[in-house]
Amino acid sequence: HPYFSTRNKNYNVTQFYGVGAGLDGKVIGGTQDNGTQFVAFNNNSAFAAAEVSGGDGGNAEISDINPNVMFAGIYYGNLFRSGTGGESFSGYFDEYIDSDGDGNIDGSAEFVTPFVLWEDLFTYILTGAENGKIVTGSANGKVWMTNEALALSTTPRWYNIGKFSSSGYIVSCLAISSDGNVVYAGTS
């Protein structure tokens, strides 16, 4: 009978679904089965990560305007925001995008829920105004946006800015133009 034994030398593998990086070099990313991992570069190992959100992590973003503001997604339309540099995350949906209050986008969403952060860094540098948008999509073809992504003192107001006309279109990818005025959505 053959004898099997482990021969790797602490080899670890993590599958990332999405990664966001801050201007200060910090990195956050959602992983399969290992939550959302955050590398702050402030502990004994320069590349050590801390799990800041559980579940199957998805897409993730760090604000360029305020690096303490981070966004993380988990499966099927549950998105979270942190204003504490990743120390704590909470939901930030209002009654328009989540009418039943269960924390998920109404109509569900892709397993790895698409979302994109847009910020007006130029205006922030000139005036100090913190202008940021988050756009996401649902499994029933709706595209949602908030202009209050960086407004930590309130639950942002969400707007349905578009819907694919036929049923069965699941929003699977998103992009925002550099000026923040046009949203592009793709479906499965």
Side-chain angles (χ1 to χ4, degrees):
H1 297 288
Y3 174 75
F4 295 96
S5 63
T6 302
R7 292 291 180 213
N8 71 47
K9 304 245 184 204
N10 299 317
Y11 177 70
N12 288 308
V13 175
T14 301
Q15 176 185 345
F16 282 85
Y17 285 122
V19 175
L23 292 177
D24 58 1
K26 295 176 182 172
V27 179
I28 189 171
T31 67
Q32 172 65 42
D33 291 331
N34 291 299
T36 299
Q37 301 291 320
F38 176 53
V39 180
F41 298 108
N42 62 357
N43 47 19
N44 294 336
S45 173
F47 299 105
E51 185 174 323
V52 293
S53 180
D56 288 309
N59 290 309
E61 292 280 358
I62 298 175
S63 170
D64 290 337
I65 291 174
N66 181 348
N68 286 319
V69 179
M70 300 175 184
F71 301 89
I74 64 171
Y75 35 81
Y76 300 120
N78 206 333
L79 305 181
F80 299 97
R81 177 176 66 176
S82 172
T84 59
E87 291 180 19
S88 64
F89 281 81
S90 59
Y92 60 108
F93 289 155
D94 67 6
E95 67 275 8
Y96 297 103
I97 190 170
D98 178 20
S99 63
D100 60 8
D102 67 355
N104 295 313
I105 297 169
D106 289 345
S108 192
E110 282 268 282
F111 180 77
V112 178
T113 305
F115 72 87
V116 63
L117 170 65
W118 175 89
E119 295 176 291
D120 188 351
L121 194 55
F122 183 72
T123 298
Y124 174 71
I125 291 168
L126 291 178
T127 68
E130 295 185 355
N131 183 9
K133 300 175 183 180
I134 288 276
V135 175
T136 190
S138 62
N140 60 5
K142 291 183 178 181
V143 178
W144 293 91
M145 182 186 76
T146 181
N147 291 316
E148 300 172 319
L150 304 178
L152 300 175
S153 63
T154 184
T155 300
R157 169 65 169 92
W158 287 86
Y159 298 91
N160 176 218
I161 61 170
K163 182 178 185 331
F164 288 91
S165 59
S166 299
S167 63
Y169 285 100
I170 299 170
V171 177
S172 58
C173 60
L174 297 157
I176 302 177
S177 63
S178 60
D179 64 4
N181 291 328
V182 178
V183 171
Y184 302 93
T187 67
S188 58

